[in-house]
Amino acid sequence: MLYRERLPARQGNAELVLLHGWGASSDCWRSALPQLRKYFNVTLIDLPGHGRSQSHRVSSVDEFIADIMAHTPARAIYLGWSLGGMIAARIAAQFPERVSALITAAANASFVQREDWRDAMPVATYEDFVERFASNPKRGLRRFDALQGALTPSVPGEAELQLQLLGWLSELDNRDCIAALDVPMLALFGADDALVPRGTAQAVSRLSSSVEICEFKHSGHLPFVTEPADFWQTVLDFCQRHGAESSEITHYLNKRQVAESFSRAANSYDSVADLQRRVADQLATRLPPDSGRALDLGSGTGYSLPALNAVTQSVVAMDLAEGMLAYARSQADRQAEHWVCADAEDLPLADDSMDLVFSSLAVQWCENIAAVFAEAYRVLKPGGKFLVSTLGPETLFELREAGRAADDATHVNRFLPRADLEDGITRSGLQLVEWQEVGEVLEYDTLRELMAELKRLGAHNVNRDRGMMGKQALRRFIAAYESYRQANGLLPATYQVWYLTLTKPLA
């Protein structure tokens, strides 16, 4: 069947559909996804015979386009590379009401030369390659890699279907489509492309004065690989100029600082993590008895690894903070099959590779929560579970209110509202089985004691707009927090803890 993967970011973001070229798969876009998901909800498509659509059979390019349109958003920006770009141009011509903008990369209007279109591959060269591929697909792919200057090898697929799509390259003639196009179009080319001659850029510009052209001087057939920063910035600038309504997610947290803060706290974390251990233990009561392969997402010092190892065949421990992973590995009773330093919003794991994802008090450090849920959905096997504990926005409200009394800076980490989590769950495809809220109140003799504990946990303020208090502001801050002192003489610190049980549907 057709492989289609939708990676939501945030409600209201523009939709972006990505179509790869011949001999590749949608994985060619993976390195750019963290950046793209700041601006777009992304849909990935694998061409027939390629990637995870290897068994998807269609009789013609128009039938494939019909399949695509049945699985893509009502309106989106389409970005296609090489053959994917030619298909995207065809989509824009046939469904202008569904396409808000068109971007092609290393895509000719006609891949092969025609009597009145000489800026293309000679027919004899094309036919020689087709013959080579038909007789020996593996050797043909190696030849193709040499032609396109690929930094990574092409992806072997179903040879019969790949051969059919080679036929599409000679069949498609988009000159009339581009000339009559009624949507904004950006055509990107590599100056040293061995498959798309250098004169193609000017030839395409002559088809329509409304087509924007950009040529990358140091690239061949893969400009998004050889000059990624310039390539994607050009794409984003074009989308914004043409009203694609792509608004970057506002990042309040400094992700690098989050990682560094927790790495520094690795050695002191366990000594003050009573609440964190209690929450992890409560989440562990929801573990199924036999879970196969598990991911401990945000594993920290590895406290939950013994509980996970008791009910699973193997565990991958993953955390954003290298220091936390190093500490966990040094503990004899905290073992994992693999130790991985990575971001929960972009998991370096294969699709359908995990039976269980377990995450205790970690995802509150992720602002693109929809990406977290979408990634969990992707790596879970059908029927797999995602067990989550996280913090709600009422956490440490006393600190937040005291900070407001002091000045206008942000002195407490922000945590996402329930509506954002619910939206991310719905958009990911995961199903919510249970949502439990528990209030926890810790008590301290002094405000200094609370702040020191947060620092030892690595959970002190890591907002981008955090501020340093002056003496007067500090006095106001302390006085405001003192107003919360309880009858027992202690200062409270409230935590809003959410426990979620999610599952990936079987079908």
Side-chain angles (χ1 to χ4, degrees):
M1 60 182 295
L2 173 70
Y3 176 78
R4 168 256 191 193
E5 179 182 348
R6 187 165 184 272
L7 306 172
R10 180 166 292 182
Q11 190 170 10
N13 274 30
E15 300 286 345
L16 177 66
V17 177
L18 299 175
L19 294 168
H20 64 82
W22 186 89
S25 76
S26 58
D27 287 341
C28 71
W29 310 113
R30 291 285 174 189
S31 63
L33 289 179
Q35 179 184 4
L36 293 178
R37 290 171 74 175
K38 296 178 184 178
Y39 302 87
F40 306 103
N41 300 315
V42 180
T43 298
L44 304 174
I45 302 287
D46 277 348
L47 302 184
H50 294 69
R52 282 147 286 192
S53 291
Q54 289 196 22
S55 61
H56 184 66
R57 298 182 178 275
V58 291
S59 60
S60 67
V61 65
D62 286 338
E63 183 182 335
F64 176 56
I65 288 174
D67 284 356
I68 291 176
M69 302 316 288
H71 293 87
T72 51
R75 188 166 174 81
I77 302 161
Y78 280 76
L79 191 163
W81 160 54
S82 194
L83 175 58
M86 299 183 75
I87 294 172
R90 198 82 162 191
I91 290 171
Q94 293 182 13
F95 300 92
E97 74 284 357
R98 300 275 305 271
V99 180
S100 55
L102 168 67
I103 305 167
T104 64
N108 208 329
S110 172
F111 185 76
V112 298
Q113 289 182 350
R114 302 179 190 274
E115 185 175 345
D116 51 350
W117 189 262
R118 309 310 297 172
D119 293 302
M121 178 180 285
V123 174
T125 303
Y126 165 78
E127 291 178 344
D128 177 67
F129 176 75
V130 172
E131 184 178 340
R132 288 170 180 263
F133 180 81
S135 61
N136 191 323
K138 289 185 179 179
R139 186 177 298 173
L141 284 175
R142 288 198 296 270
R143 171 62 177 158
F144 184 67
D145 290 339
L147 286 171
Q148 68 174 342
L151 300 180
T152 55
S154 297
V155 181
E158 191 168 334
E160 180 183 347
L161 290 175
Q162 288 188 322
L163 190 61
Q164 178 187 355
L165 266 65
L166 277 177
W168 292 1
L169 280 172
S170 65
E171 171 191 332
L172 286 171
D173 183 354
N174 287 335
R175 289 175 292 170
D176 290 343
C177 295
I178 294 172
L181 209 58
D182 195 29
V183 300
M185 177 178 175
L186 172 65
L188 306 170
F189 297 94
D192 298 323
D193 196 333
L195 300 177
V196 179
R198 191 163 193 171
T200 302
Q202 292 304 314
V204 170
S205 70
R206 290 192 293 270
L207 292 174
S208 172
S209 59
S210 63
V211 177
E212 298 182 35
I213 303 292
C214 182
E215 193 171 59
F216 297 92
K217 296 181 179 179
H218 306 293
S219 293
H221 199 58
L222 296 97
F224 58 92
V225 173
T226 49
E227 297 181 69
D230 289 344
F231 180 92
W232 292 114
Q233 190 58 56
T234 301
V235 168
L236 292 173
D237 289 346
F238 171 78
C239 292
Q240 291 166 352
R241 284 199 314 274
H242 290 281
E245 299 178 358
S246 56
S247 57
E248 182 176 9
I249 294 172
T250 300
H251 286 274
Y252 297 111
L253 295 176
N254 185 324
K255 206 57 100 49
R256 178 186 59 80
Q257 191 175 352
V258 169
E260 291 176 353
S261 178
F262 279 105
S263 287
R264 287 193 299 268
N267 290 324
S268 62
Y269 186 92
D270 281 349
S271 66
V272 290
D274 291 340
L275 171 66
Q276 287 71 17
R277 287 193 293 271
R278 190 159 65 248
V279 171
D281 289 341
Q282 181 56 231
L283 186 64
T285 64
R286 294 162 168 81
L287 285 170
D290 185 5
S291 300
R293 197 164 188 234
L295 168 65
D296 187 1
L297 185 59
S299 57
T301 61
Y303 173 78
S304 295
L305 288 175
L308 286 166
N309 281 314
V311 296
T312 64
Q313 295 175 10
S314 62
V315 182
V316 175
M318 186 177 296
D319 202 277
L320 185 66
E322 292 183 358
M324 285 287 191
L325 289 171
Y327 179 86
R329 294 183 74 166
S330 71
Q331 306 303 300
D333 63 333
R334 302 177 186 182
Q335 299 302 311
E337 177 189 18
H338 297 292
W339 304 86
V340 182
C341 185
D343 192 332
E345 297 175 22
D346 186 36
L347 300 177
L349 300 174
D351 297 357
D352 302 328
S353 58
M354 293 289 159
D355 298 283
L356 171 72
V357 178
F358 179 95
S359 182
S360 186
L361 294 184
V363 302
Q364 66 268 13
W365 304 109
C366 302
E367 288 185 305
N368 190 352
I369 195 67
V372 176
F373 290 127
E375 282 292 271
Y377 179 92
R378 181 180 64 81
V379 304
L380 278 172
K381 297 176 182 177
K385 286 188 175 182
F386 185 17
L387 301 180
V388 184
S389 64
T390 188
L391 299 177
E394 293 305 307
T395 295
L396 298 177
F397 77 87
E398 301 95 343
L399 271 179
R400 183 176 63 251
E401 294 303 318
R404 285 176 179 170
D407 55 30
D408 294 329
T410 301
H411 299 289
V412 183
N413 295 313
R414 297 177 176 94
F415 300 116
L416 295 174
R418 177 166 179 158
D420 282 20
L421 272 68
E422 290 176 334
D423 179 68
I425 293 167
T426 300
R427 292 154 70 80
S428 72
L430 292 168
Q431 290 183 351
L432 177 63
V433 178
E434 180 188 25
W435 187 311
Q436 181 185 10
E437 178 172 327
V438 176
E440 297 270 3
V441 179
L442 305 186
E443 296 177 329
Y444 302 87
D445 290 320
T446 66
L447 180 56
R448 184 186 296 273
E449 182 183 348
L450 165 60
M451 301 305 288
E453 180 175 299
L454 291 175
K455 186 173 182 178
R456 289 197 295 274
L457 287 168
H460 55 297
N461 186 20
V462 290
N463 283 286
R464 291 187 182 276
D465 58 347
R466 64 181 182 160
M468 294 293 291
M469 286 186 184
K471 290 183 178 179
Q472 293 298 324
L474 182 58
R475 291 192 187 101
R476 290 193 296 270
F477 178 70
I478 294 173
Y481 207 100
E482 281 291 330
S483 69
Y484 292 103
R485 192 171 288 277
Q486 304 169 137
N488 63 3
L490 299 176
L491 290 173
T494 300
Y495 286 79
Q496 182 183 29
V497 185
W498 288 334
Y499 296 93
L500 284 68
T501 300
L502 307 162
T503 187
K504 181 175 179 176
L506 288 171

